[in-house]
Amino acid sequence: MKFRSEIVRVGIERTPHRGLFKAAGLSDEDLKKPLIAVVNSWNEIVPGHIHLNRLAEAVKNGIYEAGGTPLEFNTIAICDGIAMAHPGMRNSLPSRDLIADSVELMINAHCFDAMVCVCGCDKIIPGMLMAACRLNLPTIFVTGGPMLPGWFKGEWVGLSHLFEAAAAAEKGKISFDELKKLEDCACPGVGSCSGLYTANTMQCLTEALGMSLPYSGTTPAIHSDKVKMAKEAGRKIVWLLKNNITARKIMTKEAFENAIMVDMALGGSTNTVLHLTAIAQEAGIELPLEKFDELSRKIPHLTNLNPAGPYYIKDLHEAGGIPALMKQIRKHLHLNCLTVTGKTIGENIKDA
């Protein structure tokens, strides 16, 4: 099988290129294998990203095991929570397109054969999905997973409680001491904010599209299963490459309709309209606003997740995650859609 990366690593005329790869630490043996990009949005600012370096290491180990050569690079990532309610929010949506552009440029300039996108949060997942559609290479997503909710005065709490409590404290309905205690425990660790905001909605819809392994969208960020899934994704990307299963073979019109239906069953963030239409456009698929309305009229709303309800993504995961949710609405879904597992959606959810 001929690989795209041979243009930068095979032949006498590529001696300078190999020399530069060797300067980066690659061996002759590494340069005989396909080059797999590990696209990581890790940084020390965003709680949904601060643990992604560990997942990227697991991905690279899986790629090595399966016979590929992984090479990691990073993209930017903005925290919509920190950027919210001040002029910083003006930078958030434009960052999505910048992320898509940066991934496209890095992959094309260095002639990678395939990529694993390690990401989380609001604009980063859509940006990388847009890039995946543009590039149409074998691609798999490793999403960072949800944050656990905090525990305060006998109930679970999340980020939305902080916005509400800040207003309550300003009006004198709660004390500033109580507000401080809530602030200290509402966001207890790594992961995308614990409720069904845009970040976790997009993680769930990436799985529904077929672009991440089953249960990726809801497995909490702190669970060891995330590391195991990341390693399996590393192995799986080499399999996808060898079988020439590219992003657009998975992200079809029917797959986007599946994602919309899952979104309706979840009651997900309305920002998904912005993102799914942009991703579909990169794949050459028209996804009119009327399609969301049409599908919403036949899909039942099955979950009651924060900020609208009392439950969190961890509860959805414990109830069976996206495979269980999709099984509940399977009569409406396109069950023959291919996924990164190499199996169809129907096969993936059969035993959920």
Side-chain angles (χ1 to χ4, degrees):
M1 179 179 181
K2 187 173 176 62
F3 294 109
R4 192 170 95 134
S5 64
E6 289 178 21
I7 198 170
V8 294
R9 60 183 176 83
V10 175
I12 192 168
E13 70 278 13
R14 300 309 178 199
T15 300
H17 305 67
R18 289 192 296 273
L20 290 168
F21 278 125
K22 288 178 179 180
L26 271 63
S27 66
D28 286 326
E29 195 60 34
D30 293 329
L31 292 169
K32 293 176 184 176
K33 301 171 184 176
L35 302 183
I36 314 293
V38 179
V39 186
N40 189 358
S41 56
W42 173 87
N43 63 47
E44 293 185 338
I45 303 165
V46 188
H49 293 68
I50 201 165
H51 63 304
L52 296 185
N53 53 346
R54 187 182 181 200
L55 298 185
E57 285 301 315
V59 168
K60 288 187 281 188
N61 288 337
I63 293 170
Y64 278 125
E65 280 186 12
T69 294
L71 291 168
E72 182 180 355
F73 66 86
N74 289 84
T75 69
I76 61 168
I78 287 174
C79 177
D80 273 34
I82 296 173
M84 194 177 293
H86 58 79
M89 182 47 64
R90 297 171 186 166
N91 301 277
S92 181
L93 187 56
S95 77
R96 181 194 72 182
D97 299 78
L98 182 60
I99 289 162
D101 292 344
S102 66
V103 174
E104 179 187 19
L105 290 168
M106 285 291 287
I107 296 295
N108 279 337
H110 302 106
C111 298
F112 281 103
D113 297 301
M115 65 178 180
V116 181
C117 294
V118 184
C119 53
C121 296
D122 298 48
K123 308 305 184 296
I124 301 88
I125 297 171
M128 290 194 188
L129 284 167
M130 288 165 67
C133 287
R134 287 183 197 172
L135 293 161
N136 197 27
L137 295 174
T139 304
I140 190 169
F141 275 66
V142 175
T143 51
M147 183 189 295
L148 293 179
W151 185 254
F152 184 70
K153 290 191 169 183
E155 65 178 27
W156 295 112
V157 293
L159 180 66
S160 62
H161 292 86
L162 292 179
F163 285 101
E164 294 163 6
E170 285 186 340
K171 292 181 178 180
K173 293 182 177 181
I174 64 171
S175 69
F176 286 104
D177 181 62
E178 186 175 5
L179 178 65
K180 173 65 165 61
K181 289 177 180 176
L182 177 61
E183 176 187 321
D184 289 342
C185 69
C187 300
V190 302
S192 297
C193 298
S194 53
L196 190 64
Y197 310 99
T198 307
N200 282 320
T201 303
M202 286 308 305
Q203 294 195 90
C204 292
L205 298 195
T206 301
E207 183 181 334
L209 278 169
M211 290 300 293
S212 62
L213 296 174
Y215 305 100
S216 292
T218 57
T219 300
I222 64 165
H223 281 206
S224 62
D225 282 349
K226 291 303 296 185
V227 180
K228 296 170 190 172
M229 285 179 181
K231 191 170 186 179
E232 176 58 23
R235 289 190 287 257
K236 186 60 71 173
I237 191 61
V238 178
W239 183 89
L240 290 167
L241 175 60
K242 290 178 179 176
N243 287 275
N244 194 33
I245 298 176
T246 61
R248 280 191 234 162
K249 290 180 180 178
I250 294 171
M251 287 191 279
T252 61
K253 181 180 179 181
E254 291 75 21
F256 280 101
E257 290 183 357
N258 282 346
I260 294 171
M261 287 187 273
V262 168
D263 194 10
M264 298 305 164
L266 287 169
S269 165
T270 54
N271 280 338
T272 55
V273 177
L274 291 174
H275 297 319
L276 288 178
T277 52
I279 298 160
Q281 184 178 26
E282 299 292 353
I285 295 168
E286 188 176 352
L287 206 62
L289 193 60
E290 291 76 16
K291 179 59 68 174
F292 291 80
D293 182 57
E294 173 195 327
L295 295 175
S296 74
R297 294 179 185 277
K298 68 179 183 180
I299 302 299
H301 181 200
L302 298 178
T303 71
N304 194 18
L305 298 165
N306 171 270
Y311 300 105
Y312 291 83
I313 304 298
K314 76 169 187 69
D315 301 307
L316 175 60
H317 183 67
E318 290 162 5
I322 298 306
L325 181 113
M326 294 183 85
K327 192 170 185 179
Q328 290 293 313
I329 60 171
R330 63 189 179 278
K331 69 179 181 180
H332 301 291
L333 296 174
H334 304 289
L335 297 175
N336 290 326
C337 286
L338 185 62
T339 74
V340 292
T341 64
K343 299 178 180 178
T344 64
I345 285 288
E347 290 170 322
N348 284 348
I349 69 173
K350 181 182 176 182
D351 298 319

